[in-house]
């Protein structure tokens, strides 16, 4: 294990202005350990690239100088490579130039950022159409697009302070390998690579989300921290090569983006006994609200109505929707997430917008998925709504059968068994009417399950 | 396969998926009284037919407004036969 870059200096990064921290951290590591790997891109593929801290720091310094000379109103990071995104973010922060990260599905929103210049992987800064006059007075900011899981993507403005609020600078986090399976331009992805680069760590980006590629990347690149959606972790556990998956040197799994259910948490704990498994409740608009580290689904019931360590207050609407008030002087925000009390916990039942309405009756797709995942022969399931002129919507499902199936079992038999179990345990309108056996579930760019 | 064949196959799947045995599915059969199909069953039949025939005549606004009564298998066959022979783009 290499010595972490001067631990105290990294810990003191928190004293630096937040917009300076990324450039400072990269510069710091580059001076002490120029050859240290910052990013492994396309891990597990033929075009695997390794970017060290010295290279990253030099690119930041170069762009910083250009940005200082050009004084653009703002910069839209339209790069695909993580190293380019990091360079743009660091240079913009240092130079107090607002920066926007637009994911693929949010590119049309660039029209809202008038006079901003667009920077791609070439990192060649075009001449600014309208240079800013008062260069130092505009507060630095970061613009991120929401994932569009519920409704069309929209732009959300953050301060550098809120962007980095969840980053942990303590020594236990230094020099670690972080897996980046999220889109690097979205809130969740930004959190991962920022955290890694702020703490002299390595960002490992697998060439695809194929479970074997992901597992291989973790083993080969010594990844110890895996941030993922429950959907991606479930895919890794159910479809990844078992020998490879159990060799992943994970000591921390942080789930987010969707609710983590109890069976998945239990399965993960069994497969990765050395890993601490927790889940984060965060949204692009609110940032990180809370973390649950006890390995159980949902959160403790006593958290409702009480101020949490991060300062947020949770409350519930009559229908079970979770409300969040980030601080005393901010408004309460409806999250769209529905929770239900089970014993001394509140567990997530799904997003309000996920509810499928069949002939006026509501169906919670997560509940149907949990039943399907319990059917022998089924590795994973996705439940979604199909539009219907007759009933408004119809419940549909994709199921992934175990590979290989027990001798003598056909995918069709698994499908029939699934339907039989659903008929027994669900009301008629909630039983999936269209069931497809697939190799891999459909997921969104953010690694979540689409519900329509 | 003709629309009648496709419709027969779709109804058989619906009945099998819901754990019912398939009676004789002839054009003159009443969907509700003879075959026991409810609105969910019909909705599933239409989704299955959209997959096999590539059209959903019930999704077009005009079709919903002037939806003819669907009482028998033959009524369904007529709707699909007519939808298949007139491209939807020609609807005024």
């Amino acid at each position: 294990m290499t010595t972490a870059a001067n631990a105290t200096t990294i810990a003191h990064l928190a004293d630096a202005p937040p917009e300076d921290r990324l450039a400072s951290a990269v510069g710091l590591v580059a001076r002490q350990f120029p050859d240290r790997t910052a990013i492994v891109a396309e891990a597990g593929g033929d075009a695997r690239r390794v970017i060290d801290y010295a290279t990253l720091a030099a690119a930041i310094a170069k762009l910083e100088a250009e940005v200082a000379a050009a004084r653009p109103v703002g910069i839209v990071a339209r790069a695909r490579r993580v190293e380019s995104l990091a360079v743009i973010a660091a240079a913009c922060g240092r130079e107090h130039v607002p920066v926007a990260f637009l994911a693929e599905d949010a590119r049309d929103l660039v029209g809202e950022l008038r006079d901003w210049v667009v920077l791609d992987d070439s990192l060649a800064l075009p001449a600014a159409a309208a240079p800013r006059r008062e260069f130092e007075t505009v507060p630095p900011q970061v613009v991120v697009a929401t994932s569009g899981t519920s409704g069309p993507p929209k732009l959300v403005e953050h301060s550098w302070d809120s962007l980095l609020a969840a980053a942990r600078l303590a020594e236990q986090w230094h020099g670690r390998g972080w897996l980046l399976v999220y889109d690097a331009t979205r809130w969740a992805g930004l959190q991962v690579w920022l955290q890694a680069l702020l703490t002299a760590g390595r960002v490992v980006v697998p060439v695809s989300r194929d479970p074997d590629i992901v597992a291989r990347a973790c083993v080969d690149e010594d990844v110890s921290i895996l941030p993922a959606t429950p959907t991606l972790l479930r895919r890794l556990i159910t479809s990844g090569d078992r020998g490879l998956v159990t060799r992943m040197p994970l000591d921390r799994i942080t789930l987010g983006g969707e609710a983590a259910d109890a069976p998945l948490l239990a399965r993960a704990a069994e497969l990765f006994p050395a890993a601490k498994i927790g889940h984060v409740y965060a949204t692009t608009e609110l940032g990180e609200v809370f973390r649950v580290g006890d390995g159980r689904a949902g959160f403790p019931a006593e958290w409702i109505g009480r101020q949490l360590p991060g300062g947020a207050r949770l409350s519930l609407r009559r229908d079970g929707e979770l409300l969040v008030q980030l601080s005393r002087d901010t408004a309460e925000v409806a999250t769209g997430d529905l929770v239900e009390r089970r014993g001394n916990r509140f567990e997530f039942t799904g997003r309000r917008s996920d509810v499928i309405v069949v002939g006026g009756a509501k169906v919670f797709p997560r509940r149907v998925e949990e039943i399907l995942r319990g059917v022998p022969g089924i590795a994973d399931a996705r439940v979604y709504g199909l539009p219907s002129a007759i009933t408004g919507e119809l419940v549909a499902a994709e199921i992934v059968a175990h590979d290989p199936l027990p001798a003598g079992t056909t995918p069709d038999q698994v499908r029939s068994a699934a339907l039989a179990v659903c008929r027994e345990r669900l009301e008629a309108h909630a039983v999936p009417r269209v069931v497809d056996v697939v190799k891999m579930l459909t997921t969104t760019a953010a690694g979540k399950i689409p519900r329509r | 396969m003709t629309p009648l064949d496709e419709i027969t196959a779709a109804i058989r799947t619906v009945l099998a998926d819901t754990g019912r045995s398939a009676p004789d599915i002839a054009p003159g059969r009443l969907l509700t009284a003879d075959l026991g199909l409810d609105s969910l069953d019909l909705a599933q039949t239409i989704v299955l037919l959209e997959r096999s025939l590539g059209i959903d005549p019930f999704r077009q606004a005009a079709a919903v407004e002037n939806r003819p009564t669907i009482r028998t298998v033959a009524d369904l066959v007529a709707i699909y036969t007519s939808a298949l022979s007139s491209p939807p783009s020609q609807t005024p």
Side-chain angles (χ1 to χ4, degrees), chain B residues 4-84:
Chain B
L4 174 62
D5 294 335
E6 296 286 2
I7 288 165
T8 306
I11 293 174
R12 276 189 202 289
T13 305
V14 170
L15 293 170
D17 278 0
T18 46
R20 290 172 282 179
S21 60
D24 175 32
I25 303 168
R29 289 296 191 127
L30 293 166
L31 297 171
T32 310
D34 294 340
L35 305 180
L37 301 185
D38 62 13
S39 60
L40 274 171
D41 297 328
L42 195 56
Q44 182 185 354
T45 307
I46 291 165
V47 170
L48 295 176
L49 288 170
E50 187 180 8
R51 289 180 164 199
S52 62
L53 296 172
I55 55 161
D56 177 357
F58 298 90
R59 201 172 291 168
Q60 293 151 31
V64 175
E65 280 158 30
N66 322 309
R67 188 188 295 164
T69 351
I70 319 162
R71 297 183 62 242
T72 61
V73 174
D75 291 341
L76 266 184
V77 173
I79 289 169
Y80 278 91
T81 309
S82 125
L84 283 167

